[in-house]
Amino acid sequence: MRKFVLLFVCFSFFISSCSKEEVTAEVLLPDGLTPEITPIEEPVSINLSAAATKTNTWVFNMQQTNGLLQSSENSDFVSLYDNALAALVFIKQGEHAKAEKIFDFFNGQVQTELLNNTGGFFQFRNANGEQGSRTWMGDNAWLLISLNHYHEATGTQKYAFMANELEQWLRSLQKEDGGLIGGFNENGTEIPKVTEGIITAFNAVPGYDNFHSNILSFLENNRWDSTEKLLTAWPENADYKFALDLHGLSVGILPDFPIEALSKTDRYETTQTNTTNGELITGYSFDEDKDVIWLEGTAQILVAYQQANKNVEANNIIQNIEKTFIKSTSSENAQGIPYTTNHGTSYGSGLLWDHADLTPAVSSSAWYLFSQLNFSPLTLGKNKNIPEADKFWNLN
């Protein structure tokens, strides 16, 4: 994701990274050895195309001896979100040992991170698993989602303690209005409420109780556009009121959410020249700036279309995404998908990090693989028996 970065993470209400985080990075040339990446045999594909198999190989080979995956090759940058996604890729294919290597790393940090200070696992760290920075609620929710899938797939409760403590931490972030703060910055200050993270936590925490109903109350009162019938990201700012990821997440997380939300993504649709090969690619931007194609977000919409059995729309997205493959520099017969097709702004006006369009990214590659595996990681947490009266999206 970032090529040997020294990170300076800037948060505002509208941030966007592997979730919606804005990252400013100074890119340095590597001047030493990067942590060892364990070479493995090409994984057994599950009805994957040749192209998808190469992407699968790339994600599998990105796992280091400590269990973590760097967000892109030689980046010295590890994202909690990216590792949660990678674990889901492994679990879906029955590669439980590889998922366990990720979970074992974080299980070893429960006392020093999750149960320490303001709680939660660090959002970012280096490839050695050190120098962690801030705790972002949305990424911790994704780790809980991956743990839920692991326990469901294996029939065990191997990481039950970690999963329970993650759930309790997410619950502790809820305020009187039902919304969840986004976690804590390194100086201990609260991160403001972010819609994308809130609905992800709604999915991650099992069941349906006051925690969930209070979230829906917050969303209805504070993040719902009844005219557009869409959740909003930044309701106070007309230019960035809506965000691409909320369309796919809403359909994936909230039962009976109007499928028309997917057709309203045309407000982000754009055609850009792919940096690495000069191909014209059509996809979706983070927001209505439409100055860049966000390939991770575009793949999220792809998965939502597939789950809705909208095959024509899904196939069109697949054809465009598969024009963006970048060959691995460390693994033979492997390729991945970059974070974006070109350089530009993320959600809001902040610039993406250098090389976001030049190296394969775990996040984009994982969501593409979900589509090829006909899998949505959000389905498991969707069956919550929500009372009809609480489904505000169907009441008006």
Side-chain angles (χ1 to χ4, degrees):
M1 182 184 294
R2 301 138 180 96
K3 198 135 178 138
F4 245 89
V5 292
L6 291 176
L7 273 182
F8 170 62
V9 180
C10 299
F11 179 86
S12 66
F13 175 65
F14 49 90
I15 54 180
S16 175
S17 77
C18 297
S19 43
K20 199 186 296 32
E21 315 291 332
E22 181 179 331
V23 178
T24 303
E26 178 186 353
V27 179
L28 301 179
L29 293 175
D31 56 3
L33 295 177
T34 56
E36 178 184 357
I37 296 178
T38 306
I40 63 169
E41 294 182 0
E42 184 172 322
V44 177
S45 63
I46 304 177
N47 297 323
L48 292 176
S49 67
T53 298
K54 290 181 180 180
T55 304
N56 204 41
T57 298
W58 182 75
V59 173
F60 271 56
N61 286 352
M62 282 298 292
Q63 189 167 43
Q64 304 175 151
T65 54
N66 64 4
L68 299 174
L69 286 77
Q70 296 182 53
S71 293
S72 64
E73 294 175 0
N74 303 319
S75 63
D76 194 28
F77 181 88
V78 168
S79 157
L80 173 58
Y81 171 70
D82 288 355
N83 277 266
L85 295 185
L88 287 163
V89 170
F90 300 150
I91 292 165
K92 179 60 180 176
Q93 298 181 70
E95 296 283 351
H96 299 147
K98 290 186 71 62
E100 288 167 0
K101 288 185 69 176
I102 294 174
F103 297 146
D104 287 344
F105 173 85
F106 289 103
N107 206 35
Q109 312 302 314
V110 167
Q111 295 297 327
T112 57
E113 293 182 29
L114 181 56
L115 300 181
N116 193 30
N117 295 322
T118 54
F121 289 112
F122 291 129
Q123 180 181 14
F124 303 130
R125 65 190 74 227
N126 66 19
N128 291 322
E130 302 166 344
Q131 299 176 12
S133 61
R134 77 172 191 150
T135 54
W136 162 233
M137 175 261 293
D139 289 9
N140 279 269
W142 274 105
L143 181 60
L144 180 55
I145 288 172
S146 66
L147 287 166
N148 292 341
H149 277 274
Y150 174 84
H151 290 146
E152 176 77 11
T154 62
T156 72
Q157 289 294 310
K158 182 174 182 178
Y159 301 101
F161 180 77
M162 177 166 57
N164 180 69
E165 293 302 324
L166 271 170
E167 176 183 336
Q168 297 310 311
W169 184 71
L170 291 171
R171 288 179 178 274
S172 75
L173 302 178
Q174 191 164 54
K175 297 298 185 179
E176 291 183 1
D177 62 1
L180 278 62
I181 60 170
F184 297 92
N185 293 307
E186 291 176 282
N187 62 4
T189 58
E190 294 182 355
I191 297 172
K193 298 164 186 165
V194 179
T195 311
E196 166 257 326
I198 292 171
I199 63 173
T200 303
F202 178 89
N203 181 270
V205 173
Y208 188 80
D209 55 29
N210 288 339
F211 172 79
H212 301 88
S213 62
N214 289 338
I215 284 178
L216 295 187
S217 177
F218 169 80
L219 294 175
E220 180 180 15
N221 294 329
N222 299 277
R223 303 294 167 87
W224 180 242
D225 187 306
S226 58
T227 301
E228 292 278 2
K229 290 190 177 296
L230 293 173
L231 289 175
T232 61
W234 194 357
E236 299 84 6
N237 189 326
D239 291 336
Y240 301 111
K241 184 176 182 179
F242 301 105
L244 174 69
D245 55 0
L246 291 180
H247 294 248
L249 291 175
S250 296
V251 170
I253 290 171
L254 302 175
D256 308 317
F257 195 88
I259 199 65
E260 290 78 19
L262 298 181
S263 64
K264 294 177 181 178
T265 54
D266 58 355
R267 69 179 69 228
Y268 318 104
E269 189 171 351
T270 181
T271 298
Q272 300 288 336
T273 300
N274 194 45
T275 301
T276 57
N277 60 18
E279 291 266 11
L280 288 177
I281 311 295
T282 298
Y284 305 106
S285 186
F286 298 89
D287 51 37
E288 295 179 68
D289 286 349
K290 298 201 286 191
D291 63 342
V292 64
I293 293 175
W294 177 28
L295 290 166
E296 180 207 347
T298 298
Q300 289 178 3
I301 299 300
L302 163 60
V303 170
Y305 269 128
Q306 288 180 320
Q307 297 299 305
N309 295 315
K310 299 287 186 179
N311 295 326
V312 173
E313 294 86 347
N315 289 336
N316 181 59
I317 295 176
I318 290 171
Q319 291 173 15
N320 278 276
I321 287 178
E322 290 187 339
K323 295 178 183 178
T324 69
F325 287 125
I326 297 176
K327 289 183 179 180
S328 172
T329 60
S330 63
S331 299
E332 292 184 3
N333 202 31
Q335 62 188 11
I337 297 165
Y339 193 64
T340 59
T341 56
N342 57 294
H343 198 263
T345 61
S346 60
Y347 178 74
S349 59
L351 285 174
L352 290 160
W353 57 91
D354 291 344
H355 293 214
D357 54 335
L358 297 176
T359 57
V362 168
S363 58
S364 302
S365 300
W367 277 98
Y368 166 71
L369 286 173
F370 294 159
S371 78
Q372 300 305 288
L373 294 164
N374 193 26
F375 167 67
S376 170
L378 302 171
T379 301
L380 180 61
K382 193 172 184 176
N383 300 319
K384 294 185 179 296
N385 297 317
I386 302 173
E388 293 299 317
D390 289 357
K391 297 179 182 178
F392 61 85
W393 51 93
N394 284 336
L395 297 180
N396 297 317

